[in-house]
Each structure stands twice: as C-alpha cells, then as structure tokens.
Amino acid sequence: MTWHRKPRPKRAASLGQPLDRVDGRLKVTGGARYAAEFAVPNVAHAVIVTSTIARGRVLSMDTSAAEKAPGVIKVFTPFNSPRLPGAPKPGPKPPAPSGQGAQGPAARGALSMRVPTLLQDDGVRYNGQPIGLVVADTFEHAREAANLVRVRYENEAAVLDWSKAPLNRPEEVHPLGGERTVTRGDVSQGLAGAAVTVEQTYITPLENHNPMEVHSTLAQWEGDSLTLYESTQGITSVRNTVARHFGLTPDKVRVVAYFTGGGFGSKGGPWSHETLAAMAAREVGRPVKLVLTRRQMFGPVGGRPRTEQRVALGASRDGVLTAIRHHSKSTTSTIEDWVEPATSQTRMLYECPNVETQYDLVRVNVGTPTFMRAPGESTGTFALESAMDELAYALKMDPVALRLKNYAEKDPESGKPWSSKSLRECYESAATRFGWSRRNPEPRSTRDGRWLVGWGMATATYPARRAPAGAVARMMPDGTAWVRAGTQEIGCGTYTSMSQIAADALGITPAQVRFELGSTDMPENPASTGSVTAASTGSAIHDVAVALRQKLIQLALNDPQSPLHGSIESDVRAADGRLTAGGLLNRTETFAALIARNGGQPVEVTVASRPGADSQQYSMHSFGAVFTEVRVDPELGIVRVPRIVTAHAVGRILNAKTARSQIVGGVVWGVGMALEEETLIDPRTGRYVNADLAEYHVPVNADIGTIDTAFIEQVDEHVSSVGAKGVGEIGITGVAASIANAVYHATGKRVRELPIRVERLLT
Ligand code: MOS
C-alpha cells in the first residue's frame, strides 16, 4: 500500500485541527484493503450453512448433492468436522462470558471467552445458527452448494415469546452487568415520601448492527502458523481465541486488520466464522476466505437484546428527586448469558439519595446478543430520560430545569469527584443554539401547516474508559517518524488522530508521521470498543512520542558535536523537525542531522502505557445534551426530524473533523433507534424476518435533517495523558429519548416502545 502524504502548512500544533483523514485517499480510491480483499494465491471460498429451526438437534445432513456440485472441495458438518481441542461447548446452563471478570474494556476482552458455534456438536439453539460449511473454488459455487445441503432435525419447542419466557436471575456478579441489584438509601421510602411520582415501562427491540462491511475472514496457514486477515474491532482477542480453539500458543496466530468497515460492537470480539475459516483452511490445505452473507449478519454475530425497563421516579413538589428505581429485563440466547447494562447511568446521572437498579435475563432461542452502539447507555438513557421528561410534565417544570435541579456535583454512586464534568455548559450551549427558551411547554401547542411541531431534549452520557496500551516509535534518518500500535481503524479516524498526537509530541507535521496499526505483531492495544481508543492508544502514542523526543534530546546533549551539547534539558524544544535549546539560533539542529552524525540508524523506543492512580480517585464520564425538533403528521403518524442540536464534553478533541463525524454518526444511529430499527423474529419459527438492508430500516440521507454539534472545551488529564475522554459512543446516547420527548411535545402521545412507528403513534 502506498500512503498518500500531502504536504501541509506548518502548524505549531496539529492536535484538535480538523485534518482530513490521512487514509482518506486510500479509502476513496479503493487502495485501503479490507479483510476479504487481500490477494492470496490459491484461495478457496467458504460459505456457512445455517439452521432452519430454532431449537433441537441435527440428526443428519445429506451433503451428496452439494459434494457433486461444480467446484466443491469439501463440505463440513457437525459429524465430519475435526474436533478442536480448545473449543468451548455449549452446556445446559448458559455461562456468562467470563475470563477477565470486570466491567468496561476488560469485559470486552472477555469476549474472547464467549461460546461460538464451531460444528463441534449437533445442537441447534437459534434459527440461522452455523451448522455446516461448504468450501469451493469460487464464492458462487460454495453458495450454490450450501443451498443443496439437506438437513434432518429433531425439533424441540423453541422459546421465542419473551413475554412468556421465564425470567432468569443471574446470582453472580456478571462481568458486564456488575452486581445484579445495586441500592443506595431506601427507594421504597423515597417513593412513598415523594409528592410526585412517575412509573412506566419502556421497551427497546432487538436490533442488529449492520455495518457496511460484512464480517469476513481470510485464513492462511504456513506450517502450524496461521494468519487471519480479519474484519474486526479487536485483533488481540481474535488471535487469543482462535489460538485457544486450535490448542496453539497465541504467537502462532497473526491477525491483520488494517481497515474495518464499521462494526458498532458486532466486531468487538470473535464469533464462529474466524475459527471455521481457519479449520477449513487447515483441512483443505489452501487459504480459505469466508465472507458472511448479509442475512448471516442476523444471529451469528450478535445484536442488541430486547430490553424492558421499568422506571419509577419520585420527586418533591419543587422537583428534587427523592427516589429512582430502574429494573431492566433483557433478552439473551440459550448459548450464553449476555447482560445489556441498561441501568448503569441511572446510578450516576442525577443526585438522588434513594436509588435501586436491577437486571434480569430472559433466555430465548435467538443468537447471542453483544455490545451495540453504547450498549447499556443507549437503551438505558431512552428509559431514564423519557421518565425524566414525564416527571417534568407531572411537575409542570421545564425539562432542563428539572435536570439542573438534580445536577450531580460529584458521582452520587461512588462519592468520588468527577475527573471533569461540563454538563451545565452542554445544556446551556445546546439550548441556546436550539432556541429552547422560545418553547411553549404545552403539548400539541405548535403547528406548522399540517405538521405538529415538537421540541424535546435529553441528557447524554457515557463512561470515559482507558485500558493498557503499547506503542513503538522510531525517528528515521530522514527526520520522519514511524509509529506503530496494534489498534484498529474502524472508521473513527484513528490513523489520523494518532498521527496528530505523535506529530505534536515530536515537533513534526502529521504528514511526517507514518502511523501503522492493525496487526498482532505490533504492541498490544485494547479492542476498539467502549470508546477507549482515544484515551488508551492515544496515551500510548503520546507517551511513546514523548519518550522518543527525550531520547533524541539526550542524544544531542551528550554528543560533543551537537550544537545542543551541554544545554539544559528543560530548555530544549522540539519543533519544525528540529531540536532547539533556549530558542537560540546557534543551538539547534534537525533530527536528520542528529541521527546522521550518530550512526545513521533509526532511533527507537517502545512504551507500555496504563491508567494511573487517577482512575481510582476520580469518576470518569463524558456528558452531553441533545435537543430535537420533530414534525409529526397528525393524520398519517409520520415523524420527521428536521433538526438536532447537541453539545458534548468529551475531553480534548484530537481532530475536530473526525470527532464531529463520530457525534453525527451517533446521532444518525439514534434517529434509527428512535424511529426505524427493529429486528423481527417470526414467533413460530424463530426465523429472522427482516435480515437485509431493504427490510431492516436504517436512516438514509432523506431521514436526516440538520445536525448541529458542538464540543465544550475540556482537557481531562486524569483520564488520559492526551486529555481525551473518547467520543465513539456518547453520540447515540440520549438521542432516542430526546426524539420521543419531542414527539410527546408535538402530539401529546407518549410512546414508550421503540421504534416510534406509525401504529404506535396513532393508536
Ligand atoms: Mo462498542 S458497541 O463497545 O463497539
């Protein structure tokens, strides 16, 4: 791959600047290679065969027609597939994804412990589960043959109706949900003593991620070493998991992902297809490419679980919260217990003495859910922020005023100070730009022609997390830098923002930095999930570039031939590709000159960067505010969203352009969540009904009006050495509630079940 480098005007600092993506040209010219695009000679193509029942056993598979079909190399079934020594077996009681046993990024690492379906047994646990694999010379031949496989099942009654499914109360502390029940104060007393209460149930449906790039793997063995070109948000967990399945040490597996075409959580860890592709490649003695079909993106690679959330709020007459109770029930599969942590924000968002949160699971015969676009906070803020709006109406109070009245000056759950919080400024900025003060609070009071106009708002929040991360950096003899970290580019602009961080710390331009990522032979980094990359990998890049700068400074100070020889270290600055002591014209030299005189070899440093004591002393969260205008056709029930105004405080902005894109993307997905997205399961067969982009509705350009974003200036060095808190997921949080609240204001109809469709509005 050749990297496009456009010379840019010199800037003292590039951090924060709205730089174009350094990989933009590669992407738009097709030069950016995605997993399925690597040119590997002699590659065979695999297509997964999926179950057509939701629960039972595969009795037999007739593969004779498939085996005779043109181009077919081999057909794998549960009966002829090699046993994988480290493959987990689905048991009678679904386990929680275990392994590293903690919330946050560590729990995401625990994804490597999840239970995939690897043709190791004959069990069927959802409709669409991988039960076979056809390998052929072309994709078309493999797909054709996959359709010829005939399967006999023993059918069992599937559990598909979540309202009738038994509730499962996980006893243990779950790695994702934490403690099942968390209380402070006495919520019953708080509700009993309240002057005004609101208690309602809010429902969010099954959803699927639908990144543009479907999950893809290209598996190539050389001896007992495996290379996987993979579409993933987490190269390390894919490496570790696949290695374990084959009984290999992780160093025998290399995972490569230079570009990932969206993931939204579905690529946060490995599923089944990576190991199946590797298994097939080993058996047929050729590299194997496995690209899921769009339909296979529904089930085998996770989705958002359905949630049913009961929220009770109590307040005094003047709007002081006296109680919050939030119980969430979410669906999981019968393969693995997955918890959508929908109640987390409820414990920290508002000051309140009496709080109780709790979660339960409903096990149904669907694919195992996973992280999806701010898992927990997006579904959880829909419930909490809708309930807050209902409370504001019950109190006849402005929704912003109600939130300000209960503003948490420190984390009400832990009692710790915030590492930073500018939520007041977010409300202020977004409300002012929106024109909120002109709002007539009366529902159904505003019209524009035939349209009812509604204005609503909600609070956004997401944890600011940081995980250990490593990086290596070299100053090259030509004065450019080469920086590497085993992170992922999932569309956020990581190549660009990391180049900016390194450039500033080294006193060179981003165009002089070659930043590489996406291979497990680079220093280990966390998965690009949970909005951790800016703070985690960003800190590692910052730290490695500072360490490299210091090493170069030492080299100069100790070199009798250097013009900087004998200068005081603290006087030395790196800028414009050179070191200068005390700003003196005769005490300066370029990196290139320094290296040329000192052996002409690259100067290299490696760092391992990890969160410090601050992570224990402070509560770390990002905050924001979302204000929405909707227009509703009162006869047809059509909802339009012409205008959304946001303000977010997410720490230092590394790149104003890519950060804004993150928020805009999150808001667009929020519109999808509020108005369009829902995965439908046939209640008789468990079949995913709308498993394609024609029937699973996501917002298109025509659905989106103006999105006016702003960031509150903030640098949070408690969270990360670059001051960033992460901007990946907060953008979607609060959006669905903000829209639902605006719909209520427009129509007087409170819709508590997403998506807000015509029939839910008109009936
Ligand atoms: Mo995110 S849903 O943790 O990719």
Side-chain angles (χ1 to χ4, degrees), residues 41-89:
N42 197 31
V43 69
H45 299 260
V47 166
I48 290 176
V49 180
T50 54
S51 69
T52 54
I53 66 164
R55 184 181 176 196
R57 287 190 322 123
V58 177
L59 292 178
S60 64
M61 286 170 79
D62 177 359
T63 57
S64 51
E67 277 157 7
K68 282 192 223 99
V72 170
I73 299 163
K74 191 167 169 71
V75 181
F76 294 90
T77 71
F79 309 104
N80 73 353
S81 290
R83 298 303 95 173
L84 301 172
K89 288 184 180 48

Short mmCIF file of all heavy atoms in Angstrom, two decimals, residues 41-89:
data_model
loop_
_atom_site.label_atom_id
_atom_site.label_comp_id
_atom_site.label_asym_id
_atom_site.label_seq_id
_atom_site.Cartn_x
_atom_site.Cartn_y
_atom_site.Cartn_z
N PRO A 41 -2.80 -16.12 -3.10
CA PRO A 41 -2.92 -17.09 -4.20
C PRO A 41 -3.61 -18.38 -3.75
O PRO A 41 -3.53 -18.77 -2.59
CB PRO A 41 -1.47 -17.36 -4.62
CG PRO A 41 -0.60 -16.77 -3.57
CD PRO A 41 -1.41 -15.83 -2.74
N ASN A 42 -4.29 -19.01 -4.69
CA ASN A 42 -4.89 -20.34 -4.47
C ASN A 42 -5.96 -20.33 -3.39
O ASN A 42 -6.18 -21.33 -2.71
CB ASN A 42 -3.78 -21.34 -4.12
CG ASN A 42 -4.24 -22.78 -4.28
OD1 ASN A 42 -5.09 -23.06 -5.14
ND2 ASN A 42 -3.73 -23.67 -3.45
N VAL A 43 -6.65 -19.21 -3.25
CA VAL A 43 -7.63 -19.12 -2.16
C VAL A 43 -8.91 -19.88 -2.52
O VAL A 43 -9.35 -19.86 -3.67
CB VAL A 43 -7.92 -17.64 -1.82
CG1 VAL A 43 -8.67 -16.94 -2.94
CG2 VAL A 43 -8.67 -17.52 -0.51
N ALA A 44 -9.44 -20.60 -1.55
CA ALA A 44 -10.75 -21.24 -1.71
C ALA A 44 -11.78 -20.42 -0.94
O ALA A 44 -11.42 -19.62 -0.08
CB ALA A 44 -10.69 -22.66 -1.17
N HIS A 45 -13.05 -20.63 -1.25
CA HIS A 45 -14.11 -19.81 -0.67
C HIS A 45 -15.06 -20.68 0.15
O HIS A 45 -15.44 -21.76 -0.29
CB HIS A 45 -14.88 -19.09 -1.78
CG HIS A 45 -14.01 -18.18 -2.57
ND1 HIS A 45 -13.97 -16.81 -2.37
CD2 HIS A 45 -13.10 -18.45 -3.55
CE1 HIS A 45 -13.07 -16.28 -3.20
NE2 HIS A 45 -12.54 -17.24 -3.92
N ALA A 46 -15.41 -20.18 1.31
CA ALA A 46 -16.29 -20.94 2.19
C ALA A 46 -17.60 -20.19 2.40
O ALA A 46 -17.60 -18.95 2.50
CB ALA A 46 -15.62 -21.18 3.53
N VAL A 47 -18.67 -20.93 2.46
CA VAL A 47 -19.98 -20.36 2.77
C VAL A 47 -20.60 -21.20 3.89
O VAL A 47 -20.57 -22.44 3.85
CB VAL A 47 -20.90 -20.32 1.54
CG1 VAL A 47 -22.35 -20.05 1.93
CG2 VAL A 47 -20.42 -19.25 0.56
N ILE A 48 -21.14 -20.52 4.88
CA ILE A 48 -21.71 -21.20 6.05
C ILE A 48 -23.12 -21.70 5.71
O ILE A 48 -23.89 -21.01 5.04
CB ILE A 48 -21.76 -20.24 7.26
CG1 ILE A 48 -20.32 -19.97 7.77
CG2 ILE A 48 -22.62 -20.78 8.38
CD1 ILE A 48 -20.25 -18.95 8.88
N VAL A 49 -23.41 -22.91 6.17
CA VAL A 49 -24.78 -23.43 6.11
C VAL A 49 -25.42 -23.14 7.45
O VAL A 49 -24.81 -23.39 8.50
CB VAL A 49 -24.77 -24.96 5.86
CG1 VAL A 49 -26.20 -25.50 5.80
CG2 VAL A 49 -24.00 -25.29 4.60
N THR A 50 -26.63 -22.60 7.45
CA THR A 50 -27.26 -22.22 8.71
C THR A 50 -28.52 -23.05 8.97
O THR A 50 -29.16 -23.55 8.03
CB THR A 50 -27.63 -20.72 8.72
OG1 THR A 50 -28.42 -20.45 7.57
CG2 THR A 50 -26.39 -19.86 8.72
N SER A 51 -28.88 -23.15 10.24
CA SER A 51 -30.03 -23.95 10.63
C SER A 51 -31.32 -23.27 10.19
O SER A 51 -31.39 -22.05 10.05
CB SER A 51 -30.04 -24.12 12.15
OG SER A 51 -30.34 -22.87 12.76
N THR A 52 -32.35 -24.09 10.01
CA THR A 52 -33.66 -23.55 9.65
C THR A 52 -34.69 -23.83 10.74
O THR A 52 -35.89 -23.62 10.53
CB THR A 52 -34.14 -24.14 8.31
OG1 THR A 52 -34.11 -25.57 8.41
CG2 THR A 52 -33.25 -23.69 7.17
N ILE A 53 -34.24 -24.33 11.87
CA ILE A 53 -35.11 -24.44 13.04
C ILE A 53 -34.45 -23.67 14.18
O ILE A 53 -33.26 -23.36 14.13
CB ILE A 53 -35.37 -25.90 13.48
CG1 ILE A 53 -34.06 -26.55 13.98
CG2 ILE A 53 -35.99 -26.71 12.35
CD1 ILE A 53 -34.26 -27.83 14.77
N ALA A 54 -35.23 -23.35 15.20
CA ALA A 54 -34.72 -22.51 16.28
C ALA A 54 -34.19 -23.31 17.46
O ALA A 54 -33.40 -22.80 18.26
CB ALA A 54 -35.81 -21.55 16.77
N ARG A 55 -34.63 -24.56 17.57
CA ARG A 55 -34.17 -25.35 18.71
C ARG A 55 -34.31 -26.83 18.41
O ARG A 55 -35.35 -27.27 17.90
CB ARG A 55 -34.99 -24.99 19.95
CG ARG A 55 -34.49 -25.69 21.21
CD ARG A 55 -35.34 -25.34 22.40
NE ARG A 55 -34.91 -26.09 23.57
CZ ARG A 55 -35.63 -26.23 24.67
NH1 ARG A 55 -36.82 -25.65 24.76
NH2 ARG A 55 -35.19 -26.93 25.68
N GLY A 56 -33.29 -27.58 18.73
CA GLY A 56 -33.35 -29.02 18.51
C GLY A 56 -31.97 -29.58 18.24
O GLY A 56 -30.98 -29.07 18.76
N ARG A 57 -31.96 -30.65 17.41
CA ARG A 57 -30.69 -31.30 17.09
C ARG A 57 -30.64 -31.58 15.60
O ARG A 57 -31.67 -31.82 14.96
CB ARG A 57 -30.56 -32.64 17.85
CG ARG A 57 -30.29 -32.45 19.34
CD ARG A 57 -29.92 -33.76 20.02
NE ARG A 57 -30.65 -34.92 19.58
CZ ARG A 57 -30.06 -36.04 19.10
NH1 ARG A 57 -28.75 -36.10 18.97
NH2 ARG A 57 -30.80 -37.07 18.73
N VAL A 58 -29.45 -31.56 15.07
CA VAL A 58 -29.25 -32.00 13.70
C VAL A 58 -29.13 -33.51 13.75
O VAL A 58 -28.22 -34.05 14.39
CB VAL A 58 -27.97 -31.39 13.09
CG1 VAL A 58 -27.74 -31.93 11.69
CG2 VAL A 58 -28.08 -29.87 13.07
N LEU A 59 -30.06 -34.22 13.10
CA LEU A 59 -29.99 -35.68 13.10
C LEU A 59 -29.03 -36.18 12.03
O LEU A 59 -28.22 -37.06 12.27
CB LEU A 59 -31.38 -36.29 12.87
CG LEU A 59 -32.38 -36.08 14.01
CD1 LEU A 59 -33.73 -36.68 13.64
CD2 LEU A 59 -31.87 -36.70 15.31
N SER A 60 -29.15 -35.58 10.85
CA SER A 60 -28.25 -35.99 9.76
C SER A 60 -28.20 -34.87 8.73
O SER A 60 -29.10 -34.03 8.67
CB SER A 60 -28.75 -37.28 9.11
OG SER A 60 -30.01 -37.03 8.50
N MET A 61 -27.16 -34.90 7.96
CA MET A 61 -27.04 -33.93 6.87
C MET A 61 -26.67 -34.70 5.61
O MET A 61 -25.68 -35.42 5.58
CB MET A 61 -25.98 -32.88 7.20
CG MET A 61 -26.48 -31.88 8.25
SD MET A 61 -25.20 -30.78 8.88
CE MET A 61 -25.09 -29.61 7.56
N ASP A 62 -27.49 -34.51 4.58
CA ASP A 62 -27.21 -35.14 3.30
C ASP A 62 -26.42 -34.14 2.45
O ASP A 62 -26.97 -33.15 1.97
CB ASP A 62 -28.52 -35.54 2.62
CG ASP A 62 -28.28 -36.15 1.24
OD1 ASP A 62 -27.10 -36.24 0.82
OD2 ASP A 62 -29.28 -36.53 0.60
N THR A 63 -25.14 -34.43 2.28
CA THR A 63 -24.28 -33.50 1.56
C THR A 63 -23.93 -34.01 0.17
O THR A 63 -23.08 -33.43 -0.51
CB THR A 63 -22.97 -33.28 2.35
OG1 THR A 63 -22.34 -34.56 2.56
CG2 THR A 63 -23.23 -32.63 3.71
N SER A 64 -24.58 -35.10 -0.24
CA SER A 64 -24.15 -35.73 -1.51
C SER A 64 -24.33 -34.80 -2.70
O SER A 64 -23.43 -34.68 -3.54
CB SER A 64 -24.92 -37.04 -1.72
OG SER A 64 -26.30 -36.82 -1.58
N ALA A 65 -25.46 -34.12 -2.78
CA ALA A 65 -25.68 -33.21 -3.92
C ALA A 65 -24.68 -32.06 -3.87
O ALA A 65 -24.13 -31.64 -4.90
CB ALA A 65 -27.11 -32.68 -3.90
N ALA A 66 -24.45 -31.55 -2.67
CA ALA A 66 -23.51 -30.43 -2.53
C ALA A 66 -22.11 -30.87 -2.94
O ALA A 66 -21.38 -30.13 -3.63
CB ALA A 66 -23.51 -29.93 -1.08
N GLU A 67 -21.73 -32.07 -2.55
CA GLU A 67 -20.37 -32.54 -2.86
C GLU A 67 -20.16 -32.73 -4.36
O GLU A 67 -19.05 -32.61 -4.87
CB GLU A 67 -20.07 -33.84 -2.10
CG GLU A 67 -19.60 -33.54 -0.68
CD GLU A 67 -19.82 -34.69 0.29
OE1 GLU A 67 -20.21 -35.79 -0.15
OE2 GLU A 67 -19.60 -34.47 1.50
N LYS A 68 -21.27 -33.04 -5.06
CA LYS A 68 -21.16 -33.26 -6.51
C LYS A 68 -21.27 -31.95 -7.29
O LYS A 68 -21.04 -31.93 -8.50
CB LYS A 68 -22.27 -34.22 -6.96
CG LYS A 68 -21.95 -35.67 -6.64
CD LYS A 68 -22.93 -36.59 -7.38
CE LYS A 68 -23.44 -37.71 -6.50
NZ LYS A 68 -24.74 -37.54 -5.89
N ALA A 69 -21.64 -30.89 -6.63
CA ALA A 69 -21.85 -29.62 -7.34
C ALA A 69 -20.52 -29.07 -7.84
O ALA A 69 -19.46 -29.39 -7.30
CB ALA A 69 -22.52 -28.62 -6.40
N PRO A 70 -20.58 -28.26 -8.91
CA PRO A 70 -19.34 -27.76 -9.52
C PRO A 70 -18.45 -27.02 -8.52
O PRO A 70 -18.95 -26.19 -7.75
CB PRO A 70 -19.83 -26.79 -10.60
CG PRO A 70 -21.26 -27.12 -10.83
CD PRO A 70 -21.78 -27.77 -9.59
N GLY A 71 -17.18 -27.33 -8.58
CA GLY A 71 -16.19 -26.57 -7.84
C GLY A 71 -16.06 -26.88 -6.37
O GLY A 71 -15.22 -26.29 -5.68
N VAL A 72 -16.89 -27.79 -5.87
CA VAL A 72 -16.89 -28.02 -4.42
C VAL A 72 -15.66 -28.82 -3.99
O VAL A 72 -15.29 -29.81 -4.62
CB VAL A 72 -18.19 -28.72 -3.97
CG1 VAL A 72 -18.09 -29.17 -2.51
CG2 VAL A 72 -19.36 -27.76 -4.15
N ILE A 73 -15.04 -28.37 -2.95
CA ILE A 73 -13.83 -29.03 -2.44
C ILE A 73 -14.15 -29.90 -1.23
O ILE A 73 -13.72 -31.04 -1.14
CB ILE A 73 -12.75 -27.97 -2.10
CG1 ILE A 73 -12.38 -27.18 -3.35
CG2 ILE A 73 -11.51 -28.62 -1.46
CD1 ILE A 73 -11.65 -25.87 -3.08
N LYS A 74 -14.92 -29.35 -0.29
CA LYS A 74 -15.26 -30.13 0.89
C LYS A 74 -16.48 -29.52 1.58
O LYS A 74 -16.68 -28.32 1.55
CB LYS A 74 -14.08 -30.16 1.87
CG LYS A 74 -14.26 -31.17 3.00
CD LYS A 74 -12.95 -31.40 3.76
CE LYS A 74 -13.19 -32.18 5.04
NZ LYS A 74 -13.52 -33.60 4.87
N VAL A 75 -17.26 -30.40 2.17
CA VAL A 75 -18.42 -29.95 2.95
C VAL A 75 -18.22 -30.40 4.40
O VAL A 75 -18.05 -31.59 4.66
CB VAL A 75 -19.74 -30.53 2.39
CG1 VAL A 75 -20.93 -30.02 3.21
CG2 VAL A 75 -19.91 -30.16 0.92
N PHE A 76 -18.24 -29.45 5.31
CA PHE A 76 -18.07 -29.75 6.73
C PHE A 76 -19.42 -29.76 7.42
O PHE A 76 -20.27 -28.90 7.16
CB PHE A 76 -17.19 -28.68 7.40
CG PHE A 76 -15.77 -28.66 6.91
CD1 PHE A 76 -15.41 -27.87 5.82
CD2 PHE A 76 -14.79 -29.43 7.52
CE1 PHE A 76 -14.11 -27.83 5.36
CE2 PHE A 76 -13.48 -29.40 7.07
CZ PHE A 76 -13.13 -28.60 5.98
N THR A 77 -19.61 -30.73 8.29
CA THR A 77 -20.84 -30.82 9.08
C THR A 77 -20.42 -31.08 10.53
O THR A 77 -19.25 -31.32 10.80
CB THR A 77 -21.71 -32.00 8.60
OG1 THR A 77 -21.07 -33.23 8.99
CG2 THR A 77 -21.93 -31.97 7.09
N PRO A 78 -21.38 -31.07 11.45
CA PRO A 78 -21.02 -31.40 12.84
C PRO A 78 -20.49 -32.84 12.95
O PRO A 78 -19.86 -33.18 13.95
CB PRO A 78 -22.35 -31.27 13.60
CG PRO A 78 -23.17 -30.34 12.77
CD PRO A 78 -22.78 -30.63 11.34
N PHE A 79 -20.75 -33.66 11.92
CA PHE A 79 -20.39 -35.07 12.02
C PHE A 79 -19.01 -35.38 11.46
O PHE A 79 -18.41 -36.39 11.80
CB PHE A 79 -21.46 -35.93 11.33
CG PHE A 79 -22.85 -35.58 11.80
CD1 PHE A 79 -23.72 -34.83 11.01
CD2 PHE A 79 -23.27 -35.96 13.08
CE1 PHE A 79 -24.99 -34.50 11.46
CE2 PHE A 79 -24.54 -35.61 13.54
CZ PHE A 79 -25.40 -34.87 12.72
N ASN A 80 -18.52 -34.53 10.57
CA ASN A 80 -17.20 -34.84 9.98
C ASN A 80 -16.16 -33.76 10.28
O ASN A 80 -15.03 -33.85 9.84
CB ASN A 80 -17.33 -35.05 8.47
CG ASN A 80 -17.57 -33.74 7.71
OD1 ASN A 80 -17.78 -32.69 8.32
ND2 ASN A 80 -17.54 -33.78 6.40
N SER A 81 -16.54 -32.73 11.01
CA SER A 81 -15.56 -31.66 11.29
C SER A 81 -14.54 -32.13 12.31
O SER A 81 -14.88 -32.87 13.23
CB SER A 81 -16.28 -30.42 11.82
OG SER A 81 -17.04 -29.84 10.80
N PRO A 82 -13.30 -31.69 12.15
CA PRO A 82 -12.29 -32.07 13.13
C PRO A 82 -12.64 -31.51 14.51
O PRO A 82 -13.22 -30.43 14.60
CB PRO A 82 -11.01 -31.44 12.59
CG PRO A 82 -11.45 -30.37 11.66
CD PRO A 82 -12.77 -30.80 11.10
N ARG A 83 -12.32 -32.27 15.53
CA ARG A 83 -12.54 -31.78 16.90
C ARG A 83 -11.46 -30.74 17.20
O ARG A 83 -10.28 -30.97 16.93
CB ARG A 83 -12.46 -32.91 17.93
CG ARG A 83 -13.51 -34.03 17.77
CD ARG A 83 -14.94 -33.53 17.82
NE ARG A 83 -15.48 -33.29 16.47
CZ ARG A 83 -16.75 -32.97 16.21
NH1 ARG A 83 -17.63 -32.84 17.16
NH2 ARG A 83 -17.14 -32.77 14.97
N LEU A 84 -11.88 -29.63 17.74
CA LEU A 84 -10.93 -28.56 18.08
C LEU A 84 -10.66 -28.67 19.58
O LEU A 84 -11.58 -28.59 20.38
CB LEU A 84 -11.53 -27.21 17.73
CG LEU A 84 -11.89 -27.04 16.24
CD1 LEU A 84 -12.64 -25.74 16.02
CD2 LEU A 84 -10.64 -27.10 15.37
N PRO A 85 -9.39 -28.82 19.95
CA PRO A 85 -9.09 -29.13 21.35
C PRO A 85 -9.56 -28.04 22.32
O PRO A 85 -9.94 -28.36 23.45
CB PRO A 85 -7.56 -29.25 21.36
CG PRO A 85 -7.09 -28.63 20.09
CD PRO A 85 -8.20 -28.80 19.11
N GLY A 86 -9.58 -26.79 21.90
CA GLY A 86 -9.91 -25.72 22.86
C GLY A 86 -11.25 -25.07 22.60
O GLY A 86 -11.51 -23.97 23.09
N ALA A 87 -12.12 -25.75 21.84
CA ALA A 87 -13.41 -25.13 21.54
C ALA A 87 -14.35 -25.28 22.72
O ALA A 87 -14.53 -26.39 23.22
CB ALA A 87 -14.02 -25.77 20.30
N PRO A 88 -14.95 -24.18 23.19
CA PRO A 88 -15.91 -24.32 24.28
C PRO A 88 -17.17 -25.01 23.77
O PRO A 88 -17.53 -24.88 22.60
CB PRO A 88 -16.21 -22.87 24.67
CG PRO A 88 -15.89 -22.07 23.47
CD PRO A 88 -14.84 -22.82 22.69
N LYS A 89 -17.78 -25.78 24.64
CA LYS A 89 -19.00 -26.48 24.24
C LYS A 89 -20.19 -25.85 24.93
O LYS A 89 -20.17 -25.68 26.15
CB LYS A 89 -18.89 -27.96 24.61
CG LYS A 89 -17.90 -28.69 23.73
CD LYS A 89 -17.85 -30.17 24.04
CE LYS A 89 -16.85 -30.88 23.14
NZ LYS A 89 -15.53 -30.22 23.04
#
